Amino acid sequence: MTIFRFALIRAFRRPLNLLLICGLPLAAAFLPAAPGWVVPIGFQMYGALLLFGAFLMLRSVVDDGASGLFQRIGAAPVTQFRYIWETFLAYALVLVAQNAIMVGLGVLVHGERLRSPLLLFVAFAAFSLTSLSISLAGGALLRNRDTAYQALSTLLMVMAMIGGFFWPLEILSPALRRAAMATPCYWLVHAMETLQRGGPGGQFVLSLAVMLLFAIAFLLVGSRRRLA
Amino acid sequence: MVNDVVKRYDSLLALDHVDFEIAQGEILGLLGPNGAGKTTAIRALAGLLPVDSGSIELFGEAQVPGAMGLRRRLGLVTQEITVFEDLSARENLEFFGGLYGLKGAELRRRIAETLDFVCLAEHADARPKKYSGGMKRRLNIACALTHRPEFLIMDEPTVGIDPQSRNHILESVKSLRDRGTTILYTSHYMEEVQAIATRVVIMDQGHAIAQGTVDELVERIQYEERVRLELGSPTEELVARIRALPGVKQVEREGASLTVVSEAGSANLDRILQAAQGGGGVRSVQADKPSLEDVFLTLTGKSLRDGGES
Ligand SMILES: Nc1ncnc2c1ncn2[C@@H]1O[C@H](COP(=O)(O)OP(=O)(O)OP(=O)(O)O)[C@@H](O)[C@H]1O
Ligand SMILES: [Mg+2]
């Protein structure tokens, strides 16, 4: 539990994390619904905040690696598997709690216009896991800290843009749309739109499944990181 | 106990058939210039690194990466400062103590004790980024102590700090030994190792080139004895008289000071002083005893401090 507890403590120690975990999402919940958007804008953009919030929290793991802390942790009687999992779970807890608050605020602000809030929460939770595992895998693959930061933040930005967090999916050209389907972001937006439109449940389940598959695939890569 | 260990990084042979043993309760000094392979040896000892051949045995058990059994009994002080910058000293100790399974009142007691031991109690709740270099070093050591390891591995724990902090650390290391901790102490400062180590292993370019007590090592080298005299008014005649003494190989004169080099074991100091009586009074005498530095110089042909291919 030590690892879990301190991962939580450290998640809230950096000012930038606080802003991304507590500040921006709450502000986003209050953005109004706009014509042409199926989902209230703030909620669609919230996907990007999740993506980057996960990145910021897991950055501490990359920093620890760069500062040689893993040597020390590696010499202690805990497996690297345990270290990564407890850290991952702590951050997942932070994001899922944030998901719940976000949806709760959404219900307060947008009322009936926000359909199926419970399922929306489930979709956010799934995407939170995906976001964390992407950054975990990125940190594991890119051993150099600066490359890891640059490559990951660029990748996340591109994914957020073509995945449709900043505009409705409809405006994407068919080619772009196919490319978008290769990102987990698309599937979160798709899930949200399906819920908003009262679309078929099958589509929602499909989106959920794709996000979780992404999460599992990246987790497998990410937990292979050698600690020392 | 390290048996015939070989470790390669690609083509670089970082440990070349290294052998040494550490007795329970002693301080073993591991000495060598930059790139000698000290950290590599330590990482293998701590089970962080698989070795290519040979074996490592601690407390009668084989040390291999992934084995958890031995870890609770070891403490590792890393060469770099590896503490969490965003946690206070107390929290750092809590984290590392927790990793070793300590909790509750016992953990708190050990933390207080460890903070006292490294004199950080007053700054326990500050973050390390506000610390001076010496304080960070002490915290870096403290993080390996809360679980009271039986075998403490210290990789250059005094790099880059002022003499006062260094002495403090050396005293702490000695008092840990007095409590029964076995310590492997790595350094490239001769004086440190000479001051605290029971025995010394000297490494260079992946080889353990010599080992033994400091005295044994010093005896092993053929060393000249050097005496420096400061005289009132040395005359040529006096210099010639000293030069004629048995065992004296060389006398150099520089103004009023003489440097007399004799063969090892000639025990010449008395005779030199007698001979020097006529030189207007002896103002000062300085007799160099060979040090580990000289041992190293003799063994490798290079000086330790700036040595190696850093
Ligand atoms: N991970 C690594 N990959 C490749 N080479 C390495 C690695 N770690 C160390 N080396 C090389 O192995 C040799 C021994 O390094 P090591 O760090 O063990 O030396 P050291 O005695 O601890 O030196 P220092 O006094 O500078 O700490 C060096 O030549 C170093 O460049
Ligand atoms: Mg080293």
Side-chain angles (χ1 to χ4, degrees):
Chain A
M1 282 318 274
T2 302
I3 300 167
F4 179 83
R5 194 159 62 87
F6 277 97
L8 276 185
I9 294 175
R10 295 179 66 216
F12 292 100
R13 284 279 159 96
R14 301 187 184 202
L16 197 58
N17 285 14
L18 272 180
L19 182 71
L20 237 101
I21 297 170
C22 306
L24 290 180
L26 305 189
F30 289 94
L31 288 181
W37 291 65
V38 184
V39 186
I41 299 178
F43 282 79
Q44 192 150 345
M45 290 187 174
Y46 175 57
L49 293 179
L50 277 177
L51 213 49
F52 282 99
F55 167 65
L56 279 188
M57 284 197 287
L58 279 172
R59 218 168 54 148
S60 66
V61 176
V62 179
D63 284 349
D64 294 349
S67 70
L69 263 161
F70 284 162
Q71 255 191 61
R72 186 155 231 164
I73 297 166
V78 289
T79 58
Q80 82 171 56
F81 186 76
R82 170 119 174 249
Y83 182 80
I84 288 173
W85 273 97
E86 284 196 28
T87 308
F88 187 88
L89 280 181
Y91 294 162
L93 185 73
V94 172
L95 288 185
V96 169
Q98 187 201 54
N99 297 157
I101 295 172
M102 186 72 191
V103 172
L105 278 177
V107 172
L108 286 180
V109 176
H110 302 283
E112 289 291 290
R113 261 176 303 159
L114 200 67
R115 303 260 179 84
S116 331
L118 260 177
L119 289 179
L120 183 62
F121 167 71
V122 173
F124 281 155
F127 190 73
S128 299
L129 295 184
T130 316
S131 306
L132 281 171
S133 42
I134 291 174
S135 289
L136 190 69
L141 289 178
L142 306 161
R143 302 303 297 272
N144 178 290
R145 173 160 84 157
D146 295 330
T147 353
Y149 287 173
Q150 276 165 18
L152 260 177
S153 51
T154 315
L155 177 80
L156 295 184
M157 204 58 205
V158 171
M159 275 192 351
M161 288 200 297
I162 63 169
F165 284 149
F166 302 121
W167 34 71
L169 287 179
E170 274 101 85
I171 70 164
L172 296 179
S173 71
L176 259 183
R177 198 171 168 127
R178 262 195 303 281
M181 291 170 100
T183 73
C185 311
Y186 171 89
W187 296 97
L188 174 61
V189 178
H190 185 64
M192 287 193 282
E193 292 194 355
T194 309
L195 289 179
Q196 277 307 104
R197 293 210 171 94
Q203 283 300 309
F204 178 76
V205 173
L206 173 71
S207 313
L208 219 54
V210 175
M211 285 190 275
L212 289 177
L213 276 178
F214 268 113
I216 291 168
F218 284 122
L219 265 183
L220 284 180
V221 178
S223 59
R224 294 214 164 177
R225 177 189 187 103
R226 293 227 9 232
L227 279 191
Chain B
M1 182 152 109
V2 174
N3 278 331
D4 202 27
V5 164
V6 176
K7 172 68 195 175
R8 283 189 185 80
Y9 293 119
D10 299 323
S11 64
L12 185 105
L13 205 51
L15 296 179
D16 189 359
H17 298 278
V18 170
D19 264 302
F20 58 85
E21 240 177 86
I22 308 168
Q24 203 132 4
E26 78 170 345
I27 299 178
L28 179 73
L30 182 60
L31 205 57
N34 291 127
K38 303 182 295 293
T39 301
T40 307
I42 280 177
R43 283 162 50 94
L45 263 175
L48 291 170
L49 197 74
V51 296
D52 296 324
S53 74
S55 65
I56 297 173
E57 203 178 284
L58 299 172
F59 306 111
E61 279 178 57
Q63 172 68 295
V64 284
M68 290 290 142
L70 282 170
R71 300 196 167 186
R72 220 170 276 272
R73 307 171 76 174
L74 301 189
L76 174 65
V77 177
T78 49
Q79 181 173 358
E80 284 87 34
I81 290 176
T82 49
V83 300
F84 293 103
E85 291 278 332
D86 46 8
L87 296 180
S88 69
R90 191 189 304 283
E91 288 168 329
N92 267 289
L93 294 184
E94 213 178 314
F95 177 82
F96 287 108
L99 287 190
Y100 286 84
L102 296 169
K103 44 177 153 326
E106 173 71 0
L107 177 59
R108 278 195 298 280
R109 206 166 50 77
R110 296 273 188 102
I111 289 173
E113 194 183 285
T114 311
L115 285 169
D116 274 339
F117 184 71
V118 296
C119 298
L120 284 176
E122 280 167 41
H123 309 274
D125 296 305
R127 309 238 178 118
K129 60 177 157 228
K130 301 215 176 102
Y131 281 7
S132 70
M135 288 163 78
K136 278 191 194 172
R137 279 280 158 202
R138 280 181 280 156
L139 177 59
N140 196 45
I141 294 173
C143 287
L145 296 181
T146 23
H147 64 287
R148 293 204 195 128
E150 292 165 63
F151 178 32
L152 181 64
I153 304 173
M154 307 181 89
D155 197 351
E156 303 193 29
T158 58
V159 171
I161 59 173
D162 62 86
Q164 208 182 341
S165 284
R166 181 192 311 183
N167 282 339
H168 179 256
I169 290 177
L170 291 180
E171 286 310 311
S172 312
V173 172
K174 279 198 250 178
S175 73
L176 281 172
R177 181 214 34 213
D178 295 341
R179 291 181 205 174
T181 313
T182 307
I183 296 164
L184 177 72
Y185 188 97
T186 307
S187 177
H188 49 200
Y189 295 111
M190 289 292 179
E191 320 82 82
E192 285 189 354
V193 171
Q194 205 158 359
I196 64 169
T198 327
R199 285 189 316 119
V200 183
V201 173
I202 298 181
M203 285 191 70
D204 187 37
Q205 297 184 346
H207 299 270
I209 50 176
Q211 48 189 306
T213 63
V214 174
D215 290 340
E216 278 166 9
L217 288 175
V218 166
E219 261 170 41
R220 265 187 52 182
I221 61 166
Q222 208 16 284
Y223 188 78
E224 307 158 324
E225 286 168 11
R226 237 168 234 276
V227 181
R228 263 174 75 86
L229 296 169
E230 202 81 48
L231 298 178
S233 51
T235 58
E236 274 312 312
E237 193 245 317
L238 182 142
V239 172
R241 205 159 59 219
I242 294 178
R243 198 171 275 144
L245 290 173
V248 169
K249 297 207 300 203
Q250 198 188 345
V251 182
E252 271 170 43
R253 178 175 170 187
E254 218 179 286
S257 78
L258 297 182
T259 306
V260 184
V261 181
S262 337
E263 280 164 14
S266 58
N268 251 345
L269 186 57
D270 249 4
R271 268 171 288 176
I272 294 170
L273 284 178
Q274 249 165 24
Q277 291 304 323
V282 180
R283 299 240 173 98
S284 80
V285 182
Q286 193 189 338
D288 291 348
K289 204 171 166 264
S291 69
L292 273 181
E293 181 89 43
D294 302 307
V295 174
F296 189 81
L297 196 65
T298 315
L299 287 173
T300 65
K302 62 189 177 198
S303 110
L304 187 78
R305 194 71 57 77
D306 0 282
E309 53 278 65
S310 50

